[in-house]
Amino acid sequence: MRAEWQPRLFGIPDRAALAECVADWPVRDIRVRVHRNHGFEPVASAAAPYAAWNSLAIQWSIGMYDDSLSGELHGDADVDVVWLDTARLTGLADGEMAPWLVSRLRQMREQTANPIVVLAWPLAADARESLERAPLTAIHFPDLDAMANALGPRWLDMRAESISGTRLSNRACLLVAGELACRWLPACVLPPIKCIALDLDGTLYAGVLGEDGATAVDLTEAHRMLQECIAAMRRNGVLLALVSRNDRADVDALFAQRHDFPLRLDDFSAVEITWEEKSVALARVATQMRIGLDAIAFVDDNPGELASVASSGPVVTVHAGDDACLTAVALDHVAGMFRWHTTREDVLRDTDLRMSVARATLAAAGASADDYMRSLRPRLEYHVGAIGDVARVADLVRKTNQFNLALTRMSEVDIVRRLERHSGNVVTIALADRLSDSGIIAALVGSCDGDTLHVEEIVVSCRALGRRLEDVMLTRALQLMAEGRAPTQVVFVVQQGARNSPAREWVARYSGNDSLPASCRIAIPIARVAVRTPSTAIVETVRYGETIA
């Protein structure tokens, strides 16, 4: 059914065709509060099928018309959206738009920690630059002017304004609805897609490798564009996997002979060329990449394969139809594919993952802990009070499932507010060794109240697990959180999730508890933390108040 929807959603949109797309599968609610000065209903009414294609349902709370954007916020929400036609703000002179909007957004930020998506149009280039430079946490500015330029005269429909309440045309409202439901809103509240798993025949080219041969399969211009789009996603930190029913020798020959392919075999972090069920192959991909199946988008031209995979686990599926350009658009609109920013760690992930095999080999050799450390030559860099690391901390808190102690899912605003109270409330840890640079792989968030250091959250990326470093780096981070203060005990907040047993097992062992209830607080004397010393084979540095490069 999702495959049938794709042409309706991502081709030329039509409201009547969209109205026929009603999900009969489970969906997750996203609550969105809209602050507007022109009609938003034409957008909200078109967003449902786009959201449903991504297993989402948007619960809109649309406010009254308000040019001042100064009203109080009411009700609960996950995201706030500002829907602003700046042409209606006739009282603002040239150069006043950006300062006025910044002041209104700061007032809104005082009332909510939610991400805020600002859809303001039209905006002069200098106003947009001022807004993007302003120190506004978790406030995002999609470029509606670029969308308006792409649609040209079809962007506006002045005849319908008296009915719809907005100058934007039906086509423009449909376009905004798709971007909101598939890209902008999910990027605020959902973890990102980490891997694209790709079929070969009929997906990356036209033809069948086993029948046509490596030189005869057809790289059409549309398939070239699809491969180029996927290659760009890889450069932005999305991992690639190849999952195909073919003979490995044929696949090797294909990539060796087809120099016209934008994608190369080395671009794939995992390669599963097998005649087994693709759901089995995808499970191996997830294990190799240390990610959940729900972090994988699988692209295949066979709807039966897609249905089989979807029925076996939470993999997101995309149908590679006859029009590869349409496939590229659909893939780009999978919830979690769009990111508001690409971190350094996203770019480093592929190399770091490939080096995990070499680390596992060293660990399996049976060397002592010190010998293992000396062979890896790990370097740990601790950063105390790093305002520049807030986005990365929020990413870790939101998307880490295995080593996530309290599952708080704090927002960027929550983290900034803790930093504002005391710089020692947030400590990040960057890791590198002789094999690769992993970037920032862990974060601790907490506060000190009298004699108690409250650790509200500890998260460690799965890429850092298995290197025998958890005790060392988390102990040092706890010591840095306590630095300059005088706590006598450390209290950990612990929750039980579906996949966070590694974090719970660590804190149980670290604190000397045999078993833990599902939800608890664990206290240990600070003296037990203070006396622990790291291996001399580990190089440690500490920075205060600077962003880790």
Side-chain angles (χ1 to χ4, degrees):
M1 188 180 293
R2 294 182 72 254
E4 291 177 356
W5 285 20
Q6 277 184 212
R8 304 182 199 176
L9 296 178
F10 305 115
I12 297 175
D14 176 82
R15 279 191 184 268
L18 291 178
E20 297 174 359
C21 299
V22 180
D24 63 356
W25 50 80
V27 293
R28 167 180 170 173
D29 288 342
I30 299 178
R31 301 167 301 170
V32 181
R33 196 164 40 197
V34 180
H35 317 267
R36 47 78 175 267
N37 75 340
H38 64 129
F40 186 76
E41 288 80 1
V43 174
S45 61
Y50 291 101
W53 188 76
N54 280 299
S55 299
L56 301 171
I58 304 173
Q59 307 300 323
W60 301 104
S61 175
I62 303 174
M64 302 295 291
Y65 284 75
D66 180 10
D67 283 331
S68 69
L69 299 180
S70 59
E72 291 187 6
L73 277 56
H74 299 286
D76 294 327
D78 303 304
V79 185
D80 284 273
V81 169
V82 173
W83 179 241
L84 190 66
D85 183 347
T86 63
R88 295 178 179 237
L89 306 177
T90 56
L92 293 175
D94 291 344
E96 293 181 344
M97 175 60 65
W100 174 83
L101 187 50
V102 167
S103 69
R104 290 297 182 265
L105 292 172
R106 284 177 174 159
Q107 177 181 326
M108 191 177 295
R109 173 54 73 225
E110 291 175 358
Q111 300 182 63
T112 179
N114 293 340
I116 301 173
V117 179
V118 181
L119 302 176
W121 179 88
L123 280 178
D126 57 346
R128 174 167 296 281
E129 290 175 5
S130 296
L131 290 169
E132 292 175 347
R133 288 197 307 268
L136 299 168
T137 302
I139 299 180
H140 310 290
F141 299 92
D143 190 353
L144 294 191
D145 288 276
M147 296 169 66
N149 292 336
L151 274 185
R154 294 174 296 172
W155 178 253
L156 296 179
D157 185 355
M158 307 302 292
R159 298 170 303 171
E161 183 178 11
S162 61
I163 300 172
S164 66
T166 177
R167 297 188 294 153
L168 270 62
S169 67
N170 178 60
R171 182 73 178 273
C173 290
L174 292 174
L175 181 60
V176 172
E179 298 300 290
L180 261 176
C182 297
R183 290 158 57 83
W184 301 334
L185 294 177
C188 291
V189 297
L190 299 181
I193 292 292
K194 298 179 182 178
C195 171
I196 302 171
L198 297 155
D199 176 43
L200 281 173
D201 299 340
T203 299
L204 293 184
Y205 48 77
V208 178
L209 177 60
E211 298 176 4
D212 302 326
T215 58
V217 296
D218 186 12
L219 181 69
T220 68
E221 281 305 309
H223 284 99
R224 181 190 301 278
M225 190 206 77
L226 172 61
Q227 288 199 29
E228 288 173 347
C229 289
I230 294 169
M233 292 172 179
R234 177 182 179 271
R235 289 192 294 271
N236 286 332
V238 180
L239 300 172
L240 302 185
L242 196 58
V243 179
S244 175
R245 284 199 174 103
N246 270 296
D247 290 329
R248 180 59 192 254
D250 290 342
V251 173
D252 289 342
L254 173 72
F255 284 97
Q257 297 177 39
R258 295 304 295 263
H259 301 291
D260 54 337
F261 279 19
L263 289 174
R264 312 308 306 158
L265 190 57
D266 285 346
D267 291 336
F268 295 92
S269 302
V271 176
E272 287 287 336
I273 308 301
T274 175
W275 295 100
E276 290 182 279
E277 291 291 330
K278 291 192 175 180
S279 58
V280 176
L282 285 167
R284 285 197 295 266
V285 168
T287 299
Q288 182 178 336
M289 293 186 174
R290 301 181 180 181
I291 60 178
L293 287 170
D294 55 354
I296 298 176
F298 176 52
V299 187
D300 197 299
D301 67 313
N302 187 332
E305 294 277 24
L306 299 175
S308 175
V309 166
S311 66
S312 302
V315 176
V316 180
T317 58
V318 176
H319 181 231
D322 294 334
D323 184 351
C325 291
L326 190 65
T327 303
V329 175
L331 178 60
D332 195 41
H333 283 77
V334 168
M337 196 66 70
F338 172 78
R339 295 154 165 77
W340 290 115
H341 57 267
T342 298
T343 67
R344 177 171 176 265
E345 288 70 25
D346 291 329
V347 178
L348 294 172
R349 184 179 292 114
D350 182 42
T351 301
D352 200 31
L353 180 66
R354 293 171 191 259
M355 292 301 101
S356 63
V357 177
R359 295 189 190 98
T361 301
L362 285 172
S368 68
D370 277 350
D371 287 342
Y372 174 72
M373 292 301 174
R374 277 191 287 271
S375 68
L376 274 184
R377 299 196 296 274
R379 304 184 301 278
L380 291 167
E381 183 170 82
Y382 305 89
H383 200 188
V384 181
I387 190 69
D389 294 342
V390 166
R392 174 57 180 161
V393 175
D395 277 347
L396 281 169
V397 169
R398 185 173 60 175
K399 68 188 182 184
T400 302
N401 293 309
Q402 296 181 47
F403 205 113
N404 189 322
L405 196 60
L407 299 169
T408 59
R409 309 304 189 194
M410 293 181 187
S411 69
E412 290 186 40
V413 176
D414 294 327
I415 296 162
V416 167
R417 287 174 177 170
R418 283 157 178 77
L419 271 173
E420 289 172 344
R421 290 198 289 268
H422 193 284
S423 62
N425 287 346
V426 180
V427 178
T428 57
I429 308 170
L431 169 63
D433 59 32
R434 69 175 177 84
L435 297 175
S436 66
D437 183 351
S438 302
I440 298 172
I441 48 80
L444 288 79
V445 182
S447 61
C448 200
D449 180 14
D451 64 353
T452 301
L453 179 62
H454 297 277
V455 180
E456 298 175 73
E457 188 58 279
I458 298 179
V459 287
V460 181
S461 169
C462 62
R463 291 187 291 119
L465 301 180
R467 303 194 210 180
R468 307 180 186 177
L469 289 168
E470 292 88 346
D471 281 13
V472 171
M473 64 186 182
L474 296 179
T475 292
R476 183 65 175 125
L478 289 169
Q479 292 169 353
L480 290 169
M481 290 187 81
E483 197 172 60
R485 301 186 270 195
T488 60
Q489 65 174 348
V490 178
V491 174
F492 300 97
V493 177
V494 185
Q495 296 290 341
Q496 182 173 335
R499 293 160 55 192
N500 74 333
S501 58
R504 291 172 57 84
E505 290 167 3
W506 172 82
V507 77
R509 176 177 50 78
Y510 193 83
S511 62
N513 286 270
D514 293 332
S515 62
L516 302 176
S519 176
C520 61
R521 293 176 180 269
I522 298 176
I524 64 172
I526 193 70
R528 287 178 54 184
V529 175
V531 298
R532 297 175 185 242
T533 57
S535 165
T536 56
I538 301 172
V539 176
E540 293 188 322
T541 57
V542 181
R543 295 187 181 184
Y544 295 87
E546 299 174 9
T547 302
I548 296 176

